[in-house]
């Protein structure tokens, strides 16, 4: 584990300009005739756009033939933008290779677990372990950096794009050899690999690193070695990260004054790469986020933005992409409701983003993303989306002038812990139930606290979650010895801990902690579990739920708690038919440990059940919940000199709430006589 992050550096304004909240989006001028460019810049100026990301998918236009470079078109558009006061976040252009490269070297194309080649036709059809692709990509980085090293309008490097969106896993021979080297570096000896992967099971012992192969197809219905699969996911994240670092270092060597980033894809369920680990390698964190349609839209967005803030360690971060409305890649691409374009952007801003950008500036008229909405839609300037884009630009300019820059997201009283590797481990196909994964439980706790008036921070497991008044370990399946000791120290010194089913089950190798679950922290939470009780409805008469005596209902999963510590108090028990063996068994247990206290939730209650049970659980360990309105989410950004409070309506009804301070921005809301009135999707920003 690394001890320090790369030094934080934020893109600086163009010469002669004041620092502002960055506002704009991906710009693809190469998709349009040149006469459109001037119209684009007119509209950007009207909307308050001050930055665009350029050349993300332009390799084939920049290098149309091997060794032949055409920068003229890109020079012209960057010059036009810069002279209009619009800065450029310039891409390395390496996200997708041109056809001439893959025709000449088809061995750069990644292969799936069946050995099938991913042919060109979409994007990201390259393998990160290919020496040939690395050579060509780094050469392009070098040419880009040398050409634009003195350009005054380029403020940052946008390295590649959404690594691993399509090429997360590669099972080629290049990947196999790289995986072998990765295992040797991680473990040192083949015996250590055998121990980590438990290869004594099913005669999988290996005698040499050359016998390690990727987890290729092993037949329908078979189960891959869990330790091997977990390590392959780690390796795959690391392989892509290593490619990013190579690109970054080439660019940084030639242009040391330019900060560098690459756009993550952090969302509640976006767990392909270990973005917290990647966060150590960027000058500033940036993220692409697309809304989840339906009732969880706002809460999932706020949760994800909080996690990005945690990955950024509360430094400013950049929202590199989100959508003005519908996307193009879901089976049904729902539109955003009125007000959500502005509200969603301000929610990311509230959670610590100092840059708000979209995919993309002008909606494409051709290609696979032509139905993905943009800042300028197909309908053009005379459209509600563009009017909202202009409204948002004015709001961001005002907030910047009023001092929002320089503030940070205020630390909450509660940290909800998230762990990428626990998610990866729970994805295995041989687990107690396929209905339980790690990622859903942190989101449920975040929403439950919001329902009780607390906006929690979402903190990666490597982060400082043990500096909070209270912390939640929600189905953190993997707890190594170091993090288990952090739990003991945190609670012993007075911390308040909430832990749930499926926490502390295995160590970092996915080896079970023996002696009864949760073996890693059994002494801290004061319970001993001998077996699990998964629930479902896949056959007649199956146990599909369990009632609790506090009025909540458990689904999918419950622990069979067979004993509790003398220091423990049972807060709630199951109510069930005798044949289940669960009637009267403990479901929620509080425990004293050192100077602190814990609550263990031994079943899956979901957001509503947790929200209902939280007051009693918090009361049992001395954590005071506010008497706020759970329909309003309050988010604060603060500095030594200023404070801003963002109020968001989470409900489908008009809500009125008292406010104290100067109202600055309102969308579908207003402030009258010290009270904010917010319609559905409404937001008000107050300066205190």
């Amino acid at each position: 584990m690394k001890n320090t992050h790369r030094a934080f550096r934020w893109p600086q304004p163009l010469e002669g300009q004041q620092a502002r909240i960055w506002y704009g989006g991906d710009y693809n001028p190469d998709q349009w005739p040149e006469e459109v460019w001037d119209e684009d810049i007119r509209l950007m100026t009207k909307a308050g756009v001050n930055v665009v990301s350029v050349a993300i998918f332009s390799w084939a236009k920049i290098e149309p033939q091997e060794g032949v470079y055409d920068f003229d078109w890109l020079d012209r558009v960057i010059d036009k933008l810069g002279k209009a006061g619009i800065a450029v976040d310039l891409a390395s252009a390496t996200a997708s290779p041109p056809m001439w490269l893959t025709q000449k070297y088809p061995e750069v194309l990644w292969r799936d677990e069946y050995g099938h080649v991913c042919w060109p036709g979409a994007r990201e059809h390259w393998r990160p372990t290919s020496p040939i692709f690395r050579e060509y990509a780094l050469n392009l980085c070098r040419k880009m950096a040398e050409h634009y090293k003195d350009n005054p309008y380029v403020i940052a490097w946008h390295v590649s794009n959404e690594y691993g969106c399509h090429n997360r896993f590669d099972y080629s021979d290049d990947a196999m050899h790289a995986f072998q080297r990765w295992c040797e570096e991680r473990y040192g000896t083949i015996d250590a690999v055998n121990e980590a992967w438990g290869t004594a099971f099913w005669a999988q012992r290996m005698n040499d690193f050359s016998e390690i192969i990727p987890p290729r197809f092993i037949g329908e219905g078979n189960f891959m070695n869990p330790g091997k699969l977990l390590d392959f996911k780690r390796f795959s994240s690391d392989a892509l990260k290593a490619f990013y670092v190579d690109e970054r270092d080439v660019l940084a060597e030639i242009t040391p004054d330019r900060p560098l980033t690459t756009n993550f894809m952090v969302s509640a369920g976006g767990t392909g790469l270990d973005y917290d680990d990647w966060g150590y390698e960027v000058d500033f964190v940036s993220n692409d986020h697309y809304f989840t349609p339906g009732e969880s839209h706002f809460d999932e967005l706020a949760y994800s933005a909080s996690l990005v803030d945690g990955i950024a360690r509360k430094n400013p971060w950049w929202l590199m992409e989100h959508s003005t409305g519908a996307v193009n890649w879901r089976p049904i691409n729902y539109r955003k409701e009125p007000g959500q374009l502005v509200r969603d952007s301000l929610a990311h801003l509230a959670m610590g983003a100092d840059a708000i950008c979209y995919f993309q500036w002008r909606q494409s008229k051709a290609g696979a993303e032509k139905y993905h909405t943009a800042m300028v839609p197909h309908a053009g300037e005379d459209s509600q989306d563009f009017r909202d884009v202009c409204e948002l630009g004015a709001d961001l300019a005002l907030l910047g002038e009023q001092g929002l820059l320089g503030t940070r997201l205020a630390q909450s009283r509660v940290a909800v812990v998230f762990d990428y590797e626990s998610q990866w481990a729970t994805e295995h196909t041989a687990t107690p139930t396929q209905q339980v994964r790690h990622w859903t439980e942190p989101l449920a706790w975040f929403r439950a606290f919001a329902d009780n008036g607390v906006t929690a921070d979402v903190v990666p497991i490597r982060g400082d979650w043990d500096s909070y008044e209270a912390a939640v370990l929600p189905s953190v399946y993997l707890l190594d010895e170091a993090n288990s000791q952090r739990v003991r120290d945190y609670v012993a010194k007075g911390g308040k801990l909430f832990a749930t089913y499926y926490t502390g089950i295995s160590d970092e190798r996915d080896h079970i902690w023996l002696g009864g679950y949760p073996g890693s922290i059994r002494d801290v939470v004061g319970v001993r579990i001998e077996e699990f009780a998964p629930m479902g409805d896949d056959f007649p008469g199956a146990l599909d739920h369990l009632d609790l005596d506090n009025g909540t209902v458990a689904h999918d999963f419950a622990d069979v708690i067979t004993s509790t510590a003398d220091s423990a108090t049972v807060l709630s028990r199951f109510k069930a038919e005798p044949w289940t063996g669960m009637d009267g068994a403990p479901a929620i247990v509080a425990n004293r440990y050192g100077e602190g206290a814990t609550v263990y939730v031994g079943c899956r209650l979901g957001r509503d059940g947790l929200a209902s049970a939280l007051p009693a659980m918090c009361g049992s360990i001395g954590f005071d919940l506010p008497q706020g309105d759970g329909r309003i989410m309050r988010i604060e950004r603060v500095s030594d000199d200023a404070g801003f409070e963002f109020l968001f309506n989470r409900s489908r009804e008009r809500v009125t709430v008292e406010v104290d301070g100067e109202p600055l921005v309102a969308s579908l809301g207003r402030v009258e006589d010290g009270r904010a009135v917010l319609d559905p999707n409404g937001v008000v920003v107050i300066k205190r």
Side-chain angles (χ1 to χ4, degrees):
M1 183 184 300
K2 296 181 177 66
N3 295 318
T4 58
H5 282 71
R6 189 173 168 88
F8 172 76
R9 295 193 298 162
W10 188 251
Q12 296 303 299
L14 298 180
E15 185 176 354
Q17 292 185 349
Q18 297 295 315
R20 297 174 290 173
I21 297 168
W22 291 114
Y23 180 50
D26 287 8
Y27 183 38
N28 296 291
D30 40 329
Q31 295 181 11
W32 299 93
E34 195 157 340
E35 57 265 25
V36 176
W37 298 358
D38 290 334
E39 175 68 0
D40 283 333
I41 290 171
R42 180 187 73 81
L43 293 176
M44 288 178 190
T45 302
K46 180 177 181 179
V49 166
N50 54 38
V51 68
V52 289
S53 297
V54 178
I56 294 171
F57 292 105
S58 298
W59 189 344
K61 190 168 179 64
I62 292 169
E63 190 181 5
Q65 301 176 50
E66 182 176 356
V68 177
Y69 296 92
D70 177 11
F71 291 110
D72 289 347
W73 69 274
L74 190 53
D75 292 344
R76 290 196 303 276
V77 76
I78 290 175
D79 190 61
K80 284 177 179 287
L81 290 163
K83 287 178 177 176
I86 300 167
V88 171
D89 170 44
L90 184 60
S92 64
T94 54
S96 287
M99 288 295 293
W100 60 258
L101 194 159
T102 55
Q103 289 284 306
K104 184 175 181 180
Y105 298 108
E107 60 266 41
V108 307
L109 301 169
W110 61 266
R111 291 178 178 266
D112 68 14
E113 62 184 299
Y114 303 98
H116 301 151
V117 174
C118 174
W119 293 104
R123 60 178 187 172
E124 277 194 350
H125 38 278
W126 51 273
R127 62 179 74 159
T129 56
S130 166
I132 295 172
F133 184 71
R134 180 183 183 277
E135 177 183 351
Y136 278 89
L138 297 190
N139 183 63
L140 180 62
C141 289
R142 194 170 294 109
K143 295 290 186 181
M144 292 285 287
E146 289 170 347
H147 190 84
Y148 290 105
K149 65 182 179 180
D150 297 319
N151 192 297
Y153 304 133
V154 175
I155 60 162
W157 283 111
H158 185 303
V159 186
S160 193
N161 186 74
E162 293 185 339
Y163 286 92
C165 184
H166 305 284
N167 62 348
R168 176 191 179 192
F169 295 133
D170 170 39
Y171 301 85
S172 68
D173 284 349
D174 281 340
M176 178 179 68
H177 297 312
F179 186 37
Q180 291 165 357
R181 292 191 297 270
W182 183 92
C183 289
E184 188 167 9
E185 291 172 5
R186 182 178 179 90
Y187 292 106
T189 68
I190 195 64
D191 286 342
V193 179
N194 283 312
E195 170 61 22
W197 294 358
T199 58
F201 185 79
W202 281 354
Q204 294 177 354
R205 177 174 175 78
M206 299 167 293
N207 297 307
D208 187 81
F209 286 101
S210 65
E211 296 180 7
I212 294 174
I213 61 173
R216 293 166 174 160
F217 181 64
I218 55 174
E220 294 293 344
N222 284 327
F223 299 108
M224 180 58 64
N225 180 301
K228 177 180 183 176
L229 187 57
L230 178 58
D231 268 346
F232 189 72
K233 292 176 181 180
R234 289 170 172 143
F235 155 76
S236 298
S237 183
D238 284 352
L240 285 158
K241 183 181 66 175
F243 200 94
Y244 156 75
V245 167
D246 286 345
E247 290 194 68
R248 179 201 70 190
D249 289 351
V250 168
L251 297 166
E253 181 182 3
I254 299 169
T255 59
D257 58 325
R258 300 255 174 79
L260 304 99
T261 192
T262 188
N263 42 340
F264 299 167
M265 295 177 289
V266 177
S267 64
T271 58
L273 305 181
D274 186 343
Y275 289 118
D276 185 54
D277 177 53
W278 279 60
Y280 286 76
E281 302 294 350
V282 294
D283 291 343
F284 61 95
V285 169
S286 58
N287 190 51
D288 297 352
H289 181 272
Y290 290 97
F291 72 98
T292 299
E295 62 86 25
S296 66
H297 177 144
F298 177 76
D299 284 359
E300 190 280 331
L301 185 156
Y303 168 93
S304 299
S306 181
L307 177 54
V308 179
D309 185 72
I311 292 169
R313 301 302 190 263
K314 295 199 175 297
N315 284 314
W317 53 275
W318 192 296
L319 179 63
M320 194 66 75
E321 292 183 24
H322 69 315
S323 66
T324 56
V327 298
N328 66 294
W329 38 264
R330 291 191 175 104
I332 301 175
N333 292 301
Y334 294 97
R335 68 191 284 259
K336 282 191 176 181
E337 299 167 7
Q340 289 182 344
L341 184 154
V342 174
R343 182 206 63 182
D344 288 2
S345 297
L346 293 179
H348 287 288
L349 186 77
M351 285 293 188
D354 277 0
I356 303 296
C357 293
Y358 289 95
F359 179 83
Q360 58 179 323
W361 164 251
R362 181 179 287 277
Q363 190 169 1
S364 299
K365 66 177 181 180
E369 292 182 311
K370 63 182 179 291
Y371 289 117
H372 192 298
T373 55
M375 299 173 80
V376 179
H378 289 151
E381 180 179 4
D382 183 15
S383 62
Q384 187 59 49
D385 272 1
F386 187 70
R387 286 188 285 273
D388 288 349
V389 162
C390 293
E391 176 190 336
L392 177 61
D395 290 344
L396 296 178
L398 175 62
L399 290 169
E401 293 166 2
Q402 289 292 319
L404 186 73
L405 291 172
T407 64
R408 302 289 184 268
L409 178 65
Q411 181 166 310
S412 176
R413 298 169 62 207
V414 180
V416 175
V417 177
F418 176 82
D419 178 33
Y420 285 98
E421 294 192 354
S422 284
Q423 170 60 24
W424 296 345
T426 60
E427 291 167 350
H428 198 271
T429 54
T431 58
T433 172
Q434 294 297 291
Q435 302 305 311
V436 171
R437 298 286 186 267
H438 163 66
W439 76 264
T440 62
E441 195 68 16
L443 177 60
W445 278 85
F446 178 86
R447 301 189 74 188
F449 269 108
D451 291 340
N452 281 276
V454 175
T455 304
D457 285 353
V458 186
V459 181
I461 197 165
R462 296 182 188 87
D464 294 332
W465 51 265
D466 43 359
S467 68
Y468 286 72
E469 181 182 347
V472 185
L473 295 182
S475 297
V476 182
Y477 176 83
L478 300 180
L479 274 182
D480 61 15
E481 183 55 54
N483 279 314
S484 300
Q485 190 59 49
R486 284 180 74 188
V487 171
R488 293 188 188 92
D489 293 344
Y490 169 67
V491 180
K493 294 175 182 177
K496 298 175 175 63
L497 179 76
F498 301 87
T500 78
Y501 69 97
Y502 236 43
T503 292
I505 303 301
S506 288
D507 65 13
E508 71 280 6
R509 304 166 300 174
D510 200 5
H511 289 203
I512 301 294
W513 291 101
L514 300 178
Y517 316 115
S520 171
I521 54 170
R522 191 172 59 243
D523 54 335
V524 183
V525 296
V527 302
R528 183 174 184 271
I529 299 155
E530 294 186 15
E531 60 179 334
F532 304 126
M535 293 172 276
D537 58 3
D538 53 335
F539 64 87
L543 181 66
D544 64 355
H545 75 281
L546 281 168
D547 294 319
L548 277 67
D549 60 15
N550 64 0
T552 62
V553 181
H555 291 277
D556 298 317
F557 196 91
D559 292 319
V560 182
I561 299 175
T562 54
S563 62
T564 59
D566 292 342
S567 53
T569 302
V570 176
L571 301 182
S572 184
R573 297 181 182 273
F574 293 113
K575 297 193 306 180
E577 294 295 328
W579 62 266
T580 65
M582 297 295 287
D583 188 43
I588 303 175
V589 178
N591 188 51
R592 307 299 303 183
Y593 184 85
E595 299 297 318
T598 67
V599 171
Y600 184 82
V601 182
C603 54
R604 187 178 193 179
L605 294 177
R607 171 258 188 111
D608 291 338
L610 290 171
S612 174
L614 258 179
M617 292 193 293
C618 290
S620 72
I621 58 173
F623 182 83
D624 296 327
L625 287 172
Q627 299 299 311
D629 189 337
R631 296 173 298 175
I632 296 289
M633 180 173 285
R634 296 175 179 265
I635 305 173
E636 292 184 88
R637 286 186 55 158
V638 297
S639 68
D640 293 339
D641 306 316
F644 294 81
E645 185 173 45
F646 293 72
L647 304 174
F648 297 93
N649 186 352
R650 301 171 64 226
S651 76
R652 291 296 199 189
E653 57 195 23
R654 177 175 292 176
V655 179
T656 301
V657 60
E658 292 185 2
V659 295
D660 181 18
E662 175 190 0
L664 295 179
V665 168
S667 175
L668 296 184
R670 63 187 185 278
V671 176
E672 298 174 344
D673 300 324
R675 297 178 69 81
V677 180
L678 291 94
D679 290 333
N681 301 322
V683 54
V684 169
V685 185
I686 305 293
K687 183 178 182 181
R688 296 201 307 269

